[in-house]
Amino acid sequence: MLRRSKPNRPDEGQVVYRRLATETTARPSGPKEPRLDPALLPLVAGFALVLLLILVLGNLSIRRIEDTSREALNLGETYAAKSKILLELRVALTRLDNEARDRMGKEARREIRPPFDMRLDTARNGVANILPQLDHLPLNELPHWKTFRDDLAAYLELTKDNTKYTLGGFEQFHKVDAELDNLGTEVAKEQVQIFQKAEALQLSATRTIRLWNVFALLAGLAVAVATTWQVQRRFRQTRQSTEAARREREFSNQMLEGMVSAIAAVDRQDRIRSANTAFMRIFPRAAIGSSIHDQIASPEAVKLLEAATASHVEVSTYRGRWNLEQEDGVVNYDVYSSPLEIDGEHGQILTLVDVTEATKAEAALRRSESLAAVGSAAAQLAHEIKNPLGSIRLGVEMLRQYTSSDEAEKTISLVERGIHHLNKLVVDVTQFSRRRELDLAPADLQEVIESSIELVADRVRDKETPIETKFDAPSIQGKWDSEQLREVFVNLLANAIDASEPRSPVEVSVELVANESGARRFEAGSFSNGERARIVITDHGSGIDQKAQSRLFEPFFTTKKRGTGLGLSIVRQIIDLHGGNIEVQSQPKKGTMFRIELPL
């Protein structure tokens, strides 16, 4: 029942489920409580103070870390710059010495040289270009730097004159090279000092930051002690009511989620505000807050929601029965609408009750009653036809003895064919109408199918139709009525051959499946626990349209020019007696597939 008193509007998006308010439980119309509890004020102030302290100490810590990192980086950059210059100088000096030696060797061999020795000049310029960099870097502060600088300049002068280089170039190069090694050793010693300085800076920064952290922890502890006693007082008062509300809410949620029926709350704007798991399974793309007009499911499912919420109800209302196509087959739902107040506006509770099994039971009962009535009438009709039919057959045989005309012989043959067809109809009707009893005995399914194929050998030869068999299991044993199953397979194989073009194959596959693996819903019947045999007969013929498929197992319905229309009705009758299922899938001009599943 819908509560009529106008409630306070909560925040947008909050779903409100209201109960009936009695005189004793109605909410008093007093002044509104303050939105911020007084006990929270010192807590908020304490937290603000702690946050401010953390912010200040964090900034100080970051600044201290940045200063330490900057100093360590400067030391590292200084060392890297020295090492880089010395390395470049060594490479350039080695190249200059090699060029000078090469020039001296050519003169000793008296080879013809160009008037300008470009390579030597280039190497000398390379060393000369590095010298100005040495004067502006911290290298000039190293010991023996001035001596090395003067010796290097002297070596450069020696390389300009081949005669001077021959007399003192080697000695001068070794001297400069040794001095360069000494400078490299001194720079390498600085690396150890840099590591020690950086480590000392880090330790100092770490100690400072730890002290600040201890101070922040003490301050936070003081704030916590000052505010805990106020919060605890308020907590004691609300703990009981909160626990009771939690238990009630948890019970309601469990009850809602545990319901088999799908339930959803829809507001005035046709938005889904709450739904249980069963509803989400039916509408997999639905979400809390989405509109029912969105593509949250198939078009038929969306039409169901739109029709159920087309008008706002004041009392619980039945919205009709709907059939939805889902992954596991067609599911039938009875749809109900109930009034609900959401955010001060009229909403609805939609309830979808799965009545698929009840619908199937009703259909099976109606079909049984219909078949019983048809069978009774057909049996009586067959009995009335059978007696005069025998007299007609006898009379025709007597006429054949007294005639010698070819034309009369043709007429008698035509009458005999009619009598034969009528007799077949009477036999089919008799078999269909009589109550069948199963003679269950251990049987091998492969043998039953192979013997059924032998019985349609004439049709196979006439249309040159290859029968392709595939048995996934070497032997599938079960307790069945072999003769009646053979009648099922002969009927289906004959129909497949008749529907196929000449030389078009008919495929028969047999496999053993477990209950858990076949998560399909069939039209009738139920399986016992355990394994079952699945037989699939497929042709690639003319196929069956959707309208004919819906009536395929009805008595006296046929798509052939000649036929009684009882073959598939008898097939289904036999499969139902075995506790199995049969379904058909077909498309026009693409072929037909019959799938049979029999419990072992």
Side-chain angles (χ1 to χ4, degrees):
M1 186 173 179
L2 190 66
R3 181 177 174 179
R4 297 299 182 184
S5 60
K6 186 172 182 60
N8 298 325
R9 294 182 63 88
D11 295 337
E12 182 66 15
Q14 181 181 358
V15 180
V16 180
Y17 294 88
R18 300 191 183 280
R19 295 183 174 180
L20 283 173
T22 62
E23 295 297 330
T24 57
T25 60
R27 182 183 300 177
S29 58
K32 295 182 180 180
E33 295 183 359
R35 298 185 63 86
L36 185 62
D37 196 284
L40 295 178
L41 293 177
L43 187 61
V44 171
F47 275 126
L49 180 61
V50 171
L51 290 177
L52 179 61
L53 182 62
I54 291 174
L55 179 63
V56 173
L57 294 181
N59 289 332
L60 292 175
S61 300
I62 292 172
R63 183 174 301 176
R64 183 60 185 272
I65 292 173
E66 289 177 349
D67 293 341
T68 303
S69 301
R70 191 179 300 108
E71 292 181 15
L73 181 62
N74 291 337
L75 294 174
E77 289 178 350
T78 302
Y79 169 76
K82 292 179 181 180
S83 300
K84 178 182 177 183
I85 295 300
L86 291 179
L87 180 60
E88 291 178 354
L89 182 59
R90 178 172 293 281
V91 172
L93 189 61
T94 302
R95 187 182 297 113
L96 176 59
D97 181 65
N98 291 336
E99 295 297 333
R101 291 188 181 190
D102 184 61
R103 182 189 65 180
M104 184 180 68
K106 289 180 180 180
E107 287 188 359
R109 293 189 298 271
R110 296 185 179 180
E111 295 179 0
I112 299 176
R113 294 188 302 106
F116 301 102
D117 197 343
M118 299 297 295
R119 296 177 61 182
L120 179 60
D121 293 341
T122 302
R124 186 184 301 111
N125 291 334
V127 177
N129 291 335
I130 297 175
L131 291 179
Q133 300 179 27
L134 302 178
D135 295 334
H136 298 288
L137 288 171
L139 286 171
N140 55 12
E141 299 177 356
L142 294 174
H144 312 294
W145 171 252
K146 185 172 181 2
T147 303
F148 170 72
R149 182 71 172 77
D150 296 339
D151 291 340
L152 180 59
Y155 176 72
L156 290 178
E157 291 297 327
L158 287 176
T159 57
K160 295 179 180 179
D161 190 340
N162 190 38
T163 302
K164 293 180 180 181
Y165 182 81
T166 303
L167 295 177
F170 293 105
E171 180 181 356
Q172 186 66 22
F173 173 75
H174 287 297
K175 182 178 180 181
V176 172
D177 187 62
E179 292 174 349
L180 186 58
D181 289 339
N182 293 333
L183 291 176
T185 302
E186 294 175 358
V187 171
K189 293 179 180 179
E190 290 184 3
Q191 184 179 13
V192 178
Q193 298 175 357
I194 290 174
F195 288 157
Q196 293 175 351
K197 290 180 180 179
E199 185 177 0
L201 290 173
Q202 291 178 357
L203 290 176
S204 176
T206 301
R207 285 194 297 270
T208 303
I209 293 173
R210 284 178 179 173
L211 289 175
W212 292 344
N213 288 337
V214 170
F215 177 72
L217 289 175
L218 293 176
L221 181 61
V223 172
V225 171
T227 56
T228 298
W229 68 274
Q230 291 195 21
V231 176
Q232 186 66 24
R233 179 177 59 86
R234 182 66 174 178
F235 176 75
R236 289 194 190 98
Q237 296 175 357
T238 58
R239 181 171 54 186
Q240 261 187 340
S241 58
T242 302
E243 182 64 20
R246 185 194 64 79
R247 286 197 302 268
E248 183 179 355
R249 183 172 61 253
E250 184 176 321
F251 173 76
S252 300
N253 290 338
Q254 291 179 0
M255 184 174 62
L256 186 65
E257 293 297 327
M259 295 182 66
V260 177
S261 302
I263 299 178
V266 181
D267 64 11
R268 183 85 175 182
Q269 288 74 35
D270 294 338
R271 293 175 301 178
I272 300 173
R273 304 296 289 273
S274 182
N276 65 350
T277 303
F279 184 87
M280 292 301 181
R281 281 198 297 266
I282 301 173
F283 305 94
R285 294 192 295 275
I288 303 302
S290 60
S291 173
I292 63 171
H293 306 293
D294 297 338
Q295 298 301 319
I296 59 176
S298 64
E300 286 297 323
V302 174
K303 288 181 181 178
L304 183 155
L305 294 179
E306 292 176 346
T309 58
S311 60
H312 298 282
V313 296
E314 296 295 333
V315 294
S316 297
T317 305
Y318 176 61
R319 297 288 192 173
R321 179 167 294 181
W322 289 75
N323 302 329
L324 295 183
E325 183 71 31
Q326 297 183 359
E327 294 181 357
D328 51 355
V330 177
V331 184
N332 308 107
Y333 291 101
D334 279 345
V335 183
Y336 299 87
S337 283
S338 302
L340 175 68
E341 185 177 346
I342 301 179
D343 294 348
E345 297 179 343
H346 293 292
Q348 298 184 57
I349 295 179
L350 297 184
T351 305
L352 282 68
V353 183
D354 188 347
V355 293
T356 304
E357 298 302 326
T359 302
K360 289 183 178 181
E362 293 172 2
L365 180 60
R366 287 195 298 269
R367 184 169 62 248
S368 299
E369 294 175 349
S370 175
L371 291 179
V374 171
S376 177
Q380 185 176 358
L381 180 62
H383 177 73
E384 297 296 331
I385 294 175
K386 195 171 184 180
N387 291 332
L389 191 63
S391 301
I392 294 172
R393 182 185 298 110
L394 180 61
V396 171
E397 289 293 336
M398 294 176 63
L399 285 176
R400 186 185 294 278
Q401 296 177 4
Y402 295 101
T403 184
S404 59
S405 171
D406 293 338
E407 187 69 26
E409 184 72 25
K410 290 181 180 178
T411 302
I412 291 174
S413 298
L414 181 63
V415 173
E416 286 181 336
R417 286 198 298 270
I419 293 173
H420 177 74
H421 178 71
L422 188 58
N423 185 67
K424 184 178 183 304
L425 176 61
V426 171
V427 171
D428 288 345
V429 170
T430 303
Q431 289 182 348
F432 173 74
S433 59
R434 69 182 174 88
R435 179 177 179 83
R436 290 177 175 267
E437 298 292 340
L438 295 180
D439 184 13
L440 298 178
D444 188 297
L445 189 59
Q446 182 173 348
E447 294 179 358
V448 175
I449 292 176
E450 289 177 348
S451 62
S452 302
I453 295 175
E454 293 176 358
L455 293 176
V456 294
D458 293 340
R459 294 174 182 261
V460 172
R461 284 193 298 270
D462 292 343
K463 297 192 71 171
E464 300 181 4
T465 302
I467 304 294
E468 301 177 357
T469 58
K470 178 184 177 183
F471 299 94
D472 288 350
S475 177
I476 299 179
Q477 301 286 338
K479 293 190 67 176
W480 302 303
D481 188 328
S482 303
E483 292 301 324
Q484 296 200 45
L485 283 185
R486 193 174 290 111
E487 183 179 353
V488 169
F489 298 139
V490 167
N491 197 309
L492 295 179
L493 288 171
N495 288 344
I497 295 172
D498 293 342
S500 302
E501 297 292 332
R503 299 184 181 86
S504 177
V506 174
E507 302 163 1
V508 180
S509 66
V510 181
E511 62 178 337
L512 193 64
V513 296
N515 262 353
E516 291 76 10
S517 64
R520 298 180 57 86
R521 298 179 70 141
F522 293 87
E523 295 181 2
S526 59
F527 293 125
S528 59
N529 293 331
E531 293 180 317
R532 60 189 187 276
R534 177 181 293 167
I535 306 99
V536 180
I537 300 177
T538 307
D539 66 70
H540 305 281
S542 56
I544 308 171
D545 59 30
Q546 192 67 31
K547 183 178 180 181
Q549 287 185 48
S550 62
R551 302 185 57 195
L552 202 58
F553 297 102
E554 292 182 5
F556 305 107
F557 174 78
T558 180
T559 58
K560 298 180 181 180
K561 294 181 180 179
R562 297 179 61 85
T564 62
L566 292 174
L568 290 179
S569 297
I570 295 174
V571 165
R572 179 158 192 170
Q573 189 180 59
I574 295 173
I575 296 299
D576 288 345
L577 287 174
H578 280 84
N581 287 297
I582 181 171
E583 71 166 3
V584 59
Q585 295 180 3
S586 181
Q587 293 184 8
K589 299 182 180 179
K590 292 186 178 181
T592 304
M593 179 189 71
F594 282 90
R595 180 187 287 110
I596 300 172
E597 298 202 7
L598 296 171
L600 302 187

